[in-house]
Amino acid sequence: LKNFETEEYFAKYDYKAPHFVCVSDCESVNIAELISLGGGSIEDFLKTQLVYPAMLGGEDLRKEISTLYKNVNEKQVLVLGAPIEGIFLTLNAFLRQGDHVVVLSPAYDALFNVAEQVTGNVSRWYLKQNNGSWSLDFDQLEDLLKKNTKLLVFNFPHNPTGFLPTQSEFLKLIELAKKYGTWVLSDEMYRGLEYASDEKLPSACELTDNAIVLSGASKSLGLAGLRLGWLIVKNPELYQKIFQFKNYTSMCATQAGEYLGKMAVRATPKLVERNLKIIESNLKITEQFFKKWSQRFEWIPPKAGSVSVVKLKDIPAEKFCHEIAEKYGVVLLPIRFMGYEDAYFRLGYGRSDFSPGMKALDLALENYFGKVSSIN
Ligand SMILES: Cc1ncc(COP(=O)(O)O)c(C=O)c1O
């Protein structure tokens, strides 16, 4: 397997650099707050017996998760040891050497790297960028899809660009997959973080039975430390295959996660609403910031989600990001790791300490490039 460059980069600076202005997970809550938001009881949680939980995930938790979707039942929900596990399991259980896979790109490293390791036959389908926004290139997709294309992988709201298709584009994508007899892996980790209620997309599992949907509590709910993730798989044979694979990885999740997971699902609307407010306020800060720095950078605002990218106008991004992290303690994520040209870094808008982080970045840039005297 190719190195997981995004996570290795985070490991290098995690708990060392003070300002992480590029993370994709939203603001967290503590266990007591989560239980209160989910309507549970701390006493009940403390009585949790630490035996093995059910291997598929407890029935109560799977039922609770199924309520987040139309026409999904608990037998179609598989609880994971962590969201990231769902990518490894799906791609290993579903694909064989030589199968053709198309991955919307840039892409969170695992979505591409694991598919490439299993099949050796992955095509990148790039988002098109023009005039400060991203779009889907359906002509390019039709050129890429072949008779042996087994899987089309996408992720909306998109990491790292913050791209979100319209409802009709999303339906067109699903229809194209159907036309070519291709399954879809829909990574919906950022679902719920659409900025307007009429922009919310259906889940891919509500549109086709030939979908594998990945979701979890890390991003939209801000509960990355809970490590709660799940797959929705409507095809019983594939569900079973993925489950068999899981016996070799996490086998099952955690008992504490069973209780807290139910709280997380019940608290979903409140957590999402809170995180959308944080994002909205951080986007205003970012807009002002890049008015000042427009000679050096092009900020491409997100359409949805907690992240988007910034283009460096005249220097490569990766070296710049390392220098800013090492010298000034501000961590920006280079997008080359996700299969894109080395001219972009990612920002993350979901945290409440974003504002001090951006002030530190402003000082760092003044040192790095020299003072910018006025807002241009
Ligand atoms: C698109 C996408 N899928 C899956 C994951 C994995 O989530 P987790 O790190 O919570 O396991 C991430 C995390 O960054 C992600 O961005």
Side-chain angles (χ1 to χ4, degrees), residues 35-176:
I35 291 176
S36 158
L37 287 169
S41 124
I42 293 182
E43 289 70 38
D44 287 350
F45 173 59
L46 293 179
K47 284 185 206 139
T48 304
Q49 204 68 36
L50 293 174
V51 293
Y52 281 110
M55 293 167 94
L56 305 176
E59 197 175 332
D60 287 354
L61 176 58
R62 284 183 289 113
K63 272 194 180 141
E64 203 75 56
I65 292 169
S66 71
T67 64
L68 299 172
Y69 302 90
K70 283 192 192 123
N71 302 323
V72 168
N73 65 48
E74 72 278 10
K75 294 198 179 84
Q76 297 161 335
V77 179
L78 182 64
V79 176
L80 304 163
I84 185 69
E85 186 189 25
I87 297 174
F88 189 80
L89 293 179
T90 299
L91 297 175
N92 274 282
F94 186 66
L95 298 169
R96 290 284 163 273
Q97 189 65 31
D99 287 342
H100 183 236
V101 181
V102 175
V103 178
L104 181 71
S105 294
Y108 182 56
D109 315 25
L111 293 170
F112 180 89
N113 292 352
V114 179
E116 180 62 26
Q117 192 250 350
V118 175
T119 68
N121 191 15
V122 184
S123 306
R124 284 194 185 272
W125 172 39
Y126 281 104
L127 281 168
K128 227 169 39 179
Q129 201 226 303
N130 46 20
N131 291 332
S133 73
W134 302 91
S135 58
L136 294 175
D137 185 342
F138 284 105
D139 292 337
Q140 195 205 354
L141 179 60
E142 290 232 42
D143 285 345
L144 290 172
L145 289 170
K146 302 175 194 158
K147 277 211 179 86
N148 72 334
T149 306
K150 206 161 169 210
L151 190 65
L152 172 60
V153 180
F154 47 77
N155 144 239
F156 306 120
H158 184 247
N159 173 17
T161 64
F163 172 76
L164 182 76
T166 61
Q167 301 245 2
S168 64
E169 286 169 334
F170 192 59
L171 293 179
K172 185 170 168 183
L173 190 55
I174 299 286
E175 286 312 312
L176 260 180

Side-chain angles (χ1 to χ4, degrees), residues 26 326 346:
C26 290
E326 274 156 25
R346 188 182 79 182

Side-chain angles (χ1 to χ4, degrees), residues 239-305:
Y239 182 102
Q240 198 55 29
K241 235 172 149 181
I242 295 176
F243 170 55
Q244 283 163 353
F245 219 101
K246 193 167 82 104
N247 287 330
Y248 287 100
T249 52
S250 66
M251 192 186 296
C252 49
T254 69
Q255 275 297 3
E258 287 280 321
Y259 189 88
L260 297 176
K262 278 181 269 181
M263 297 298 114
V265 178
R266 286 181 203 161
T268 292
K270 290 179 197 155
L271 290 169
V272 166
E273 193 190 324
R274 190 191 66 138
N275 287 330
L276 281 172
K277 280 196 187 124
I278 296 174
I279 292 172
E280 191 184 356
S281 134
N282 288 338
L283 287 176
K284 284 185 192 141
I285 294 171
T286 315
E287 193 180 354
Q288 286 309 314
F289 185 98
F290 286 106
K291 274 186 187 156
K292 172 173 170 182
W293 287 103
S294 64
Q295 277 177 351
R296 295 279 179 188
F297 304 96
E298 184 194 357
W299 176 52
I300 310 177
K303 274 187 169 178

Side-chain angles (χ1 to χ4, degrees), residues 24 82-84 87 108 155 159 187 189-190 214 218-219 227:
S24 57
I84 185 69
I87 297 174
Y108 182 56
N155 144 239
N159 173 17
D187 179 326
M189 287 297 292
Y190 300 82
L214 170 69
S218 304
K219 312 295 180 181
R227 311 307 294 127

